[in-house]
Structures are given as structure tokens and as C-alpha cells.
Amino acid sequence: MSWAFVLSLLAVLALVYFSLRERVRLRVLRNKKGWDEQSSKVTPFSEALTNLIGMAGGIYLSLMVFFSFLELDLPSRVRILSLYVEPVAAVSFALALVQPFVLRLIKRS
């Protein structure tokens, strides 16, 4: 394994962590009432992870419909450092990761 791969993997994991942490913070701020005793299985982390995956999936579907409508030919795989990924999925996941930070910037304005 190369150092570039390890560092890029750590950077992606750090970005996922910070994105999830920001989503947890937003969820807690929205639900100031606290925890419901009967729904103790639902945690802010699990809600944030579900939100992240759902957001990435929604962006992915929207982009696929858009590219299909325009009849654009996209490569099936692209190489990012030493990983081969689907480009639309990678863009969707990246946009979902930065979404809570963009919301924070918009709310500060």
C-alpha cells in the first residue's frame, strides 16, 4: 500500500467523521426536546448516517436522470489515486459530505 493511498483513505474517513458530526449537531439542535424513552434505538449518529446515505443516494439518482436526459456518455470507472470508482457515485458522495457545511455557511450569512 502506498502512502498516498493511506493518506487519502484517512482524509476521506476524516471527512466522513466531520460530516457525520455536523449532521448530529444539526439533528440535536432541531430536536431540543431530548430523547424519547420508547425510541432509544434511534441515536443522533444513526440518524446522521441514514441522512448521509439517503442524501448521497438522492443526489446520485438526480444526476443519473440528468445525464440520461442529456444522453451523456460517462466512463463506468475512473481512477482516483489507487481506487477505481464510479464517477457519479463519487461526486454524489462528495456533495453529500459537504452539504451540512454549506448549510452552516448559508445560515451564517
Side-chain angles (χ1 to χ4, degrees):
M1 243 189 250
S2 70
W3 283 106
F5 174 75
V6 172
L7 290 177
S8 63
L9 183 62
L10 288 176
V12 167
L13 289 176
L15 189 56
V16 167
Y17 168 77
F18 288 120
S19 181
L20 288 174
R21 190 178 75 176
E22 181 65 18
R23 289 171 191 276
V24 168
R25 188 187 72 79
L26 290 173
R27 179 73 59 187
V28 169
L29 288 176
R30 288 183 191 141
N31 299 329
K32 289 186 178 181
K33 293 180 182 178
W35 289 83
D36 182 9
E37 295 297 325
Q38 295 178 349
S39 63
S40 61
K41 293 181 181 179
V42 178
T43 65
F45 178 79
S46 67
E47 287 181 346
L49 186 60
T50 302
N51 183 282
L52 174 65
I53 293 169
M55 182 72 61
I59 293 170
Y60 177 83
L61 290 175
S62 298
L63 288 176
M64 290 304 291
V65 168
F66 177 72
F67 292 138
S68 175
F69 176 74
L70 293 178
E71 296 182 0
L72 296 175
D73 290 329
L74 298 173
S76 62
R77 301 272 183 226
V78 293
R79 185 175 182 196
I80 299 176
L81 297 175
S82 61
L83 296 174
Y84 288 94
V85 296
E86 183 187 358
V88 179
V91 169
S92 301
F93 190 67
L95 288 173
L97 284 176
V98 299
Q99 183 258 348
F101 304 111
V102 172
L103 283 178
R104 180 186 270 192
L105 289 175
I106 290 172
K107 286 186 178 185
R108 284 187 180 175
S109 300

